[in-house]
Amino acid sequence: SGGDKSAGSSGAGGGSGAQQEPSSSQAQDDEDEILDDETRIMSTTELRQRIHLLDNDIRVMRSDVQRIQHESRGQRERIRENIEKVKL
């Protein structure tokens, strides 16, 4: 049930873009209403599963951010070293 829920929320924002382009806040409100309706009919177990999936996604994204920041620091250091080599 988690897979089709996230696909539904993604589709609501991007699938019918022509109708929602005039107001991005309106598009967000529409998506929020859909999510509210979905969560109202979910059981406690389904809500806990959704929360667990979202927590896992957040953990993965934070890990990705840290990895990218680490790679970026390494690249900047290599650039500095190369600039110094060019100056010599």
Side-chain angles (χ1 to χ4, degrees):
S1 76
D4 53 341
K5 300 292 186 206
S6 61
S9 63
S10 297
S16 54
Q19 295 173 346
Q20 296 178 354
E21 279 182 35
S23 170
S24 62
S25 64
Q26 179 63 39
Q28 185 63 46
D29 290 345
D30 291 346
E31 189 170 327
D32 289 346
E33 278 185 39
I34 292 168
L35 290 174
D36 288 346
D37 291 342
E38 287 178 1
T39 55
R40 259 188 223 110
I41 61 173
M42 292 172 78
S43 70
T44 303
T45 302
E46 289 172 324
L47 286 169
R48 287 176 200 238
Q49 288 173 342
R50 169 79 67 94
I51 290 167
H52 182 71
L53 290 172
L54 290 170
D55 285 341
N56 286 340
D57 287 346
I58 291 167
R59 234 177 273 122
V60 167
M61 289 180 198
R62 284 184 178 149
S63 175
D64 287 346
V65 166
Q66 288 179 340
R67 177 184 53 80
I68 291 168
Q69 287 173 337
H70 178 72
E71 289 175 5
S72 179
R73 281 190 295 268
Q75 297 257 344
R76 279 189 299 240
E77 182 59 34
R78 277 186 235 117
I79 289 169
R80 269 184 246 144
E81 290 171 0
N82 288 336
I83 289 172
E84 288 301 315
K85 288 178 186 176
V86 169
K87 286 180 181 178
L88 297 176

